[in-house]
mmCIF file of all heavy atoms in Angstrom:
data_model
loop_
_atom_site.group_PDB
_atom_site.id
_atom_site.type_symbol
_atom_site.label_atom_id
_atom_site.label_comp_id
_atom_site.label_asym_id
_atom_site.label_seq_id
_atom_site.Cartn_x
_atom_site.Cartn_y
_atom_site.Cartn_z
ATOM 1 N N ASN V 180 -12.329 -16.372 -5.382
ATOM 2 C CA ASN V 180 -10.881 -16.161 -5.499
ATOM 3 C C ASN V 180 -10.039 -17.227 -4.815
ATOM 4 O O ASN V 180 -8.809 -17.104 -4.749
ATOM 5 C CB ASN V 180 -10.508 -14.781 -4.945
ATOM 6 C CG ASN V 180 -10.841 -14.623 -3.468
ATOM 7 O OD1 ASN V 180 -11.234 -15.574 -2.786
ATOM 8 N ND2 ASN V 180 -10.689 -13.404 -2.960
ATOM 9 N N GLY V 181 -10.689 -18.280 -4.274
ATOM 10 C CA GLY V 181 -9.930 -19.337 -3.615
ATOM 11 C C GLY V 181 -9.545 -19.040 -2.187
ATOM 12 O O GLY V 181 -8.942 -19.879 -1.518
ATOM 13 N N ASN V 182 -9.879 -17.850 -1.694
ATOM 14 C CA ASN V 182 -9.562 -17.468 -0.310
ATOM 15 C C ASN V 182 -10.823 -17.289 0.529
ATOM 16 O O ASN V 182 -10.805 -16.585 1.537
ATOM 17 C CB ASN V 182 -8.765 -16.158 -0.296
ATOM 18 C CG ASN V 182 -7.402 -16.306 -0.947
ATOM 19 O OD1 ASN V 182 -6.721 -17.306 -0.733
ATOM 20 N ND2 ASN V 182 -7.011 -15.324 -1.746
ATOM 21 N N GLY V 183 -11.899 -17.924 0.083
ATOM 22 C CA GLY V 183 -13.149 -17.787 0.799
ATOM 23 C C GLY V 183 -13.902 -16.520 0.459
ATOM 24 O O GLY V 183 -14.922 -16.211 1.085
ATOM 25 N N GLY V 184 -13.408 -15.764 -0.538
ATOM 26 C CA GLY V 184 -14.052 -14.515 -0.933
ATOM 27 C C GLY V 184 -14.184 -14.434 -2.443
ATOM 28 O O GLY V 184 -14.275 -15.457 -3.135
ATOM 29 N N TYR V 185 -14.135 -13.205 -2.968
ATOM 30 C CA TYR V 185 -14.444 -12.991 -4.372
ATOM 31 C C TYR V 185 -13.573 -11.883 -4.952
ATOM 32 O O TYR V 185 -13.177 -10.954 -4.254
ATOM 33 C CB TYR V 185 -15.916 -12.587 -4.549
ATOM 34 C CG TYR V 185 -16.873 -13.573 -3.943
ATOM 35 C CD1 TYR V 185 -17.262 -13.447 -2.603
ATOM 36 C CD2 TYR V 185 -17.373 -14.649 -4.676
ATOM 37 C CE1 TYR V 185 -18.122 -14.362 -2.019
ATOM 38 C CE2 TYR V 185 -18.244 -15.562 -4.102
ATOM 39 C CZ TYR V 185 -18.614 -15.422 -2.776
ATOM 40 O OH TYR V 185 -19.457 -16.327 -2.199
ATOM 41 N N MET V 186 -13.332 -12.013 -6.265
ATOM 42 C CA MET V 186 -12.828 -10.907 -7.063
ATOM 43 C C MET V 186 -14.020 -10.285 -7.779
ATOM 44 O O MET V 186 -14.947 -10.988 -8.191
ATOM 45 C CB MET V 186 -11.791 -11.381 -8.071
ATOM 46 C CG MET V 186 -10.553 -11.981 -7.443
ATOM 47 S SD MET V 186 -9.361 -12.572 -8.680
ATOM 48 C CE MET V 186 -8.770 -11.007 -9.335
ATOM 49 N N TYR V 187 -13.975 -8.962 -7.939
ATOM 50 C CA TYR V 187 -15.124 -8.239 -8.508
ATOM 51 C C TYR V 187 -14.623 -7.182 -9.475
ATOM 52 O O TYR V 187 -13.689 -6.429 -9.164
ATOM 53 C CB TYR V 187 -15.915 -7.580 -7.368
ATOM 54 C CG TYR V 187 -17.014 -6.640 -7.815
ATOM 55 C CD1 TYR V 187 -18.292 -7.117 -8.096
ATOM 56 C CD2 TYR V 187 -16.780 -5.272 -7.944
ATOM 57 C CE1 TYR V 187 -19.310 -6.249 -8.499
ATOM 58 C CE2 TYR V 187 -17.777 -4.405 -8.348
ATOM 59 C CZ TYR V 187 -19.040 -4.900 -8.622
ATOM 60 O OH TYR V 187 -20.033 -4.042 -9.017
ATOM 61 N N TRP V 188 -15.242 -7.137 -10.671
ATOM 62 C CA TRP V 188 -14.908 -6.157 -11.692
ATOM 63 C C TRP V 188 -16.139 -5.316 -12.009
ATOM 64 O O TRP V 188 -17.230 -5.868 -12.233
ATOM 65 C CB TRP V 188 -14.470 -6.842 -12.978
ATOM 66 C CG TRP V 188 -13.186 -7.607 -12.905
ATOM 67 C CD1 TRP V 188 -11.944 -7.185 -13.272
ATOM 68 C CD2 TRP V 188 -13.026 -8.964 -12.465
ATOM 69 N NE1 TRP V 188 -11.017 -8.181 -13.085
ATOM 70 C CE2 TRP V 188 -11.656 -9.291 -12.589
ATOM 71 C CE3 TRP V 188 -13.908 -9.938 -11.968
ATOM 72 C CZ2 TRP V 188 -11.149 -10.536 -12.244
ATOM 73 C CZ3 TRP V 188 -13.399 -11.174 -11.615
ATOM 74 C CH2 TRP V 188 -12.038 -11.466 -11.758
ATOM 75 N N ARG V 189 -15.979 -3.999 -12.060
ATOM 76 C CA ARG V 189 -17.079 -3.118 -12.458
ATOM 77 C C ARG V 189 -17.204 -3.027 -13.967
ATOM 78 O O ARG V 189 -18.317 -2.932 -14.488
ATOM 79 C CB ARG V 189 -16.879 -1.691 -11.914
ATOM 80 C CG ARG V 189 -17.072 -1.530 -10.427
ATOM 81 C CD ARG V 189 -17.031 -0.046 -10.034
ATOM 82 N NE ARG V 189 -18.156 0.673 -10.610
ATOM 83 C CZ ARG V 189 -18.042 1.758 -11.366
ATOM 84 N NH1 ARG V 189 -16.845 2.256 -11.662
ATOM 85 N NH2 ARG V 189 -19.113 2.352 -11.851
ATOM 86 N N ARG V 190 -16.075 -2.988 -14.662
ATOM 87 C CA ARG V 190 -16.075 -2.704 -16.086
ATOM 88 C C ARG V 190 -15.147 -3.665 -16.823
ATOM 89 O O ARG V 190 -14.124 -4.105 -16.293
ATOM 90 C CB ARG V 190 -15.580 -1.261 -16.353
ATOM 91 C CG ARG V 190 -16.500 -0.177 -15.824
ATOM 92 C CD ARG V 190 -17.706 -0.004 -16.735
ATOM 93 N NE ARG V 190 -18.533 1.112 -16.334
ATOM 94 C CZ ARG V 190 -19.579 1.025 -15.519
ATOM 95 N NH1 ARG V 190 -19.894 -0.153 -14.989
ATOM 96 N NH2 ARG V 190 -20.292 2.086 -15.224
ATOM 97 N N ASP V 191 -15.471 -3.937 -18.075
ATOM 98 C CA ASP V 191 -14.621 -4.744 -18.937
ATOM 99 C C ASP V 191 -13.288 -4.022 -19.145
ATOM 100 O O ASP V 191 -13.242 -2.808 -19.343
ATOM 101 C CB ASP V 191 -15.316 -4.962 -20.279
ATOM 102 C CG ASP V 191 -14.592 -5.964 -21.164
ATOM 103 O OD1 ASP V 191 -13.666 -6.629 -20.664
ATOM 104 O OD2 ASP V 191 -14.965 -6.063 -22.345
ATOM 105 N N GLY V 192 -12.196 -4.749 -19.073
ATOM 106 C CA GLY V 192 -10.881 -4.184 -19.318
ATOM 107 C C GLY V 192 -10.234 -3.557 -18.099
ATOM 108 O O GLY V 192 -9.059 -3.172 -18.149
ATOM 109 N N ALA V 193 -10.978 -3.435 -17.020
ATOM 110 C CA ALA V 193 -10.422 -2.840 -15.801
ATOM 111 C C ALA V 193 -9.777 -3.920 -14.935
ATOM 112 O O ALA V 193 -10.098 -5.107 -15.051
ATOM 113 C CB ALA V 193 -11.523 -2.136 -15.012
ATOM 114 N N THR V 194 -8.881 -3.505 -14.079
ATOM 115 C CA THR V 194 -8.362 -4.434 -13.084
ATOM 116 C C THR V 194 -9.454 -4.705 -12.055
ATOM 117 O O THR V 194 -10.418 -3.939 -11.923
ATOM 118 C CB THR V 194 -7.125 -3.842 -12.377
ATOM 119 O OG1 THR V 194 -7.481 -2.575 -11.803
ATOM 120 C CG2 THR V 194 -5.981 -3.640 -13.356
ATOM 121 N N ALA V 195 -9.317 -5.808 -11.331
ATOM 122 C CA ALA V 195 -10.324 -6.162 -10.336
ATOM 123 C C ALA V 195 -10.438 -5.045 -9.299
ATOM 124 O O ALA V 195 -9.436 -4.615 -8.727
ATOM 125 C CB ALA V 195 -9.968 -7.477 -9.668
ATOM 126 N N ARG V 196 -11.660 -4.571 -9.066
ATOM 127 C CA ARG V 196 -11.858 -3.510 -8.091
ATOM 128 C C ARG V 196 -11.740 -4.042 -6.664
ATOM 129 O O ARG V 196 -11.232 -3.363 -5.780
ATOM 130 C CB ARG V 196 -13.246 -2.874 -8.324
ATOM 131 C CG ARG V 196 -13.589 -1.760 -7.364
ATOM 132 C CD ARG V 196 -12.538 -0.669 -7.289
ATOM 133 N NE ARG V 196 -12.251 -0.045 -8.564
ATOM 134 C CZ ARG V 196 -11.221 0.751 -8.792
ATOM 135 N NH1 ARG V 196 -10.337 0.970 -7.834
ATOM 136 N NH2 ARG V 196 -11.040 1.297 -9.967
ATOM 137 N N PHE V 197 -12.199 -5.282 -6.445
ATOM 138 C CA PHE V 197 -12.061 -5.921 -5.134
ATOM 139 C C PHE V 197 -11.494 -7.318 -5.319
ATOM 140 O O PHE V 197 -11.810 -8.002 -6.290
ATOM 141 C CB PHE V 197 -13.413 -6.037 -4.416
ATOM 142 C CG PHE V 197 -14.150 -4.741 -4.262
ATOM 143 C CD1 PHE V 197 -15.400 -4.570 -4.826
ATOM 144 C CD2 PHE V 197 -13.587 -3.690 -3.552
ATOM 145 C CE1 PHE V 197 -16.081 -3.371 -4.691
ATOM 146 C CE2 PHE V 197 -14.256 -2.488 -3.418
ATOM 147 C CZ PHE V 197 -15.509 -2.332 -3.987
ATOM 148 N N ASN V 198 -10.681 -7.731 -4.375
ATOM 149 C CA ASN V 198 -10.204 -9.104 -4.286
ATOM 150 C C ASN V 198 -10.113 -9.408 -2.802
ATOM 151 O O ASN V 198 -9.058 -9.288 -2.182
ATOM 152 C CB ASN V 198 -8.855 -9.273 -4.984
ATOM 153 C CG ASN V 198 -8.386 -10.710 -5.001
ATOM 154 O OD1 ASN V 198 -9.121 -11.624 -4.639
ATOM 155 N ND2 ASN V 198 -7.146 -10.933 -5.422
ATOM 156 N N LEU V 199 -11.260 -9.786 -2.224
ATOM 157 C CA LEU V 199 -11.409 -9.808 -0.773
ATOM 158 C C LEU V 199 -11.611 -11.225 -0.259
ATOM 159 O O LEU V 199 -12.267 -12.042 -0.910
ATOM 160 C CB LEU V 199 -12.596 -8.931 -0.355
ATOM 161 C CG LEU V 199 -12.512 -7.470 -0.822
ATOM 162 C CD1 LEU V 199 -13.790 -6.728 -0.457
ATOM 163 C CD2 LEU V 199 -11.298 -6.773 -0.215
ATOM 164 N N GLY V 200 -11.074 -11.485 0.933
ATOM 165 C CA GLY V 200 -11.142 -12.802 1.524
ATOM 166 C C GLY V 200 -12.386 -13.028 2.358
ATOM 167 O O GLY V 200 -13.295 -12.190 2.427
ATOM 168 N N ALA V 201 -12.405 -14.163 3.040
ATOM 169 C CA ALA V 201 -13.586 -14.613 3.784
ATOM 170 C C ALA V 201 -13.982 -13.649 4.887
ATOM 171 O O ALA V 201 -15.145 -13.621 5.302
ATOM 172 C CB ALA V 201 -13.311 -15.997 4.369
ATOM 173 N N GLU V 202 -13.021 -12.851 5.379
ATOM 174 C CA GLU V 202 -13.318 -11.972 6.510
ATOM 175 C C GLU V 202 -14.400 -10.940 6.193
ATOM 176 O O GLU V 202 -15.010 -10.380 7.109
ATOM 177 C CB GLU V 202 -12.044 -11.270 7.000
ATOM 178 C CG GLU V 202 -11.411 -10.293 6.024
ATOM 179 C CD GLU V 202 -10.463 -10.931 5.033
ATOM 180 O OE1 GLU V 202 -10.447 -12.183 4.931
ATOM 181 O OE2 GLU V 202 -9.733 -10.184 4.348
ATOM 182 N N TRP V 203 -14.657 -10.682 4.899
ATOM 183 C CA TRP V 203 -15.708 -9.726 4.528
ATOM 184 C C TRP V 203 -17.097 -10.369 4.494
ATOM 185 O O TRP V 203 -18.099 -9.654 4.510
ATOM 186 C CB TRP V 203 -15.411 -9.127 3.145
ATOM 187 C CG TRP V 203 -14.338 -8.093 3.181
ATOM 188 C CD1 TRP V 203 -12.992 -8.291 3.250
ATOM 189 C CD2 TRP V 203 -14.524 -6.677 3.162
ATOM 190 N NE1 TRP V 203 -12.330 -7.090 3.272
ATOM 191 C CE2 TRP V 203 -13.245 -6.084 3.213
ATOM 192 C CE3 TRP V 203 -15.651 -5.852 3.094
ATOM 193 C CZ2 TRP V 203 -13.061 -4.707 3.203
ATOM 194 C CZ3 TRP V 203 -15.464 -4.476 3.079
ATOM 195 C CH2 TRP V 203 -14.183 -3.909 3.146
ATOM 196 N N PHE V 204 -17.156 -11.684 4.434
ATOM 197 C CA PHE V 204 -18.406 -12.369 4.115
ATOM 198 C C PHE V 204 -18.925 -13.272 5.230
ATOM 199 O O PHE V 204 -20.054 -13.756 5.130
ATOM 200 C CB PHE V 204 -18.205 -13.184 2.830
ATOM 201 C CG PHE V 204 -17.730 -12.345 1.670
ATOM 202 C CD1 PHE V 204 -16.380 -12.255 1.372
ATOM 203 C CD2 PHE V 204 -18.619 -11.625 0.897
ATOM 204 C CE1 PHE V 204 -15.920 -11.473 0.313
ATOM 205 C CE2 PHE V 204 -18.172 -10.832 -0.160
ATOM 206 C CZ PHE V 204 -16.830 -10.757 -0.447
ATOM 207 N N ASP V 205 -18.152 -13.517 6.256
ATOM 208 C CA ASP V 205 -18.542 -14.443 7.325
ATOM 209 C C ASP V 205 -18.860 -13.655 8.584
ATOM 210 O O ASP V 205 -17.979 -13.331 9.395
ATOM 211 C CB ASP V 205 -17.423 -15.444 7.591
ATOM 212 C CG ASP V 205 -17.163 -16.355 6.387
ATOM 213 O OD1 ASP V 205 -18.032 -16.399 5.494
ATOM 214 O OD2 ASP V 205 -16.102 -17.004 6.344
ATOM 215 N N LEU V 206 -20.136 -13.331 8.753
ATOM 216 C CA LEU V 206 -20.554 -12.447 9.841
ATOM 217 C C LEU V 206 -20.264 -13.050 11.207
ATOM 218 O O LEU V 206 -19.839 -12.341 12.127
ATOM 219 C CB LEU V 206 -22.041 -12.123 9.702
ATOM 220 C CG LEU V 206 -22.628 -11.192 10.762
ATOM 221 C CD1 LEU V 206 -21.903 -9.848 10.784
ATOM 222 C CD2 LEU V 206 -24.124 -10.986 10.527
#
Side-chain angles (χ1 to χ4, degrees):
N180 62 7
N182 295 318
Y185 305 89
M186 297 179 71
Y187 172 87
W188 294 263
R189 288 187 65 235
R190 294 283 186 267
D191 189 10
T194 56
R196 179 53 57 193
F197 305 119
N198 184 9
L199 303 175
E202 66 274 12
W203 284 78
F204 304 95
D205 295 344
L206 181 59

